[in-house]
Amino acid sequence: MREPISHALSQDADEEPLRDALKRQPDNVDAAIPLARALLARKSPGEALEVLDTVLLAAPGNLRALNAKGVVLDHEGRHHEAQAMYRQALATEPANPMLLNNLRLSLAVGKTELGNASPQTQTDGRHALVRSK
């Protein structure tokens, strides 16, 4: 019983310096992306989206933040919204391989889900968030 509790506490402790960095510098993508990744792993995608939205308010059009938000949206099965994020970023940098790859994955996963009788959230997006360093 102690191990899961201590593990959960250490996750929150790991997040605290990232949250502090974002308070000091709201456009700090280097803090926002690992925090969003941790929140997504903790099954708090809404919180991850809030973190990324805050960064995008401070740094609108930041490619890495747009990509990370797209990944979280994909993870949540919100593929059309994710694709809009990737396309917005691609308008700035059309040949970006990370964005192109994530857009292709989103389109493919979205089509697969449409073909399923009971759509389920796909987990493929988690890997893309790792690539958004």
Side-chain angles (χ1 to χ4, degrees):
M1 183 72 173
R2 286 184 180 172
E3 189 173 321
I5 292 172
S6 65
H7 181 67
L9 291 174
S10 72
Q11 285 179 338
D12 289 340
D14 292 342
E15 293 171 13
E16 211 48 48
L18 297 171
R19 289 182 190 277
D20 290 342
L22 284 170
K23 284 178 188 171
R24 286 189 308 274
Q25 191 178 7
D27 64 345
N28 187 341
V29 178
D30 291 328
I33 289 175
L35 179 56
R37 188 180 304 127
L39 291 167
L40 196 57
R42 219 173 17 108
K43 302 198 185 319
S44 297
E47 232 183 308
L49 287 171
E50 286 177 24
V51 166
L52 295 168
D53 283 338
T54 300
V55 169
L56 285 167
L57 281 174
N62 180 286
L63 299 182
R64 291 174 55 218
L66 288 167
N67 180 67
K69 183 174 179 180
V71 169
V72 174
L73 290 167
D74 267 331
H75 183 267
E76 289 303 291
R78 297 164 58 183
H79 303 296
H80 290 292
E81 293 172 77
Q83 292 159 19
M85 293 290 106
Y86 301 135
R87 286 185 174 111
Q88 182 181 344
L90 283 165
T92 303
E93 196 174 311
N96 184 297
M98 173 182 62
L99 295 167
L100 289 169
N101 183 56
N102 286 348
L103 177 59
R104 285 186 198 114
L105 285 171
S106 181
L107 290 166
V109 171
K111 285 180 186 177
T112 301
E113 285 184 0
L114 288 175
N116 289 343
S118 59
Q120 297 175 337
T121 302
Q122 300 290 321
T123 58
D124 297 338
R126 285 186 293 167
H127 302 295
L129 188 58
V130 173
R131 289 192 305 264
S132 67
K133 293 181 182 176

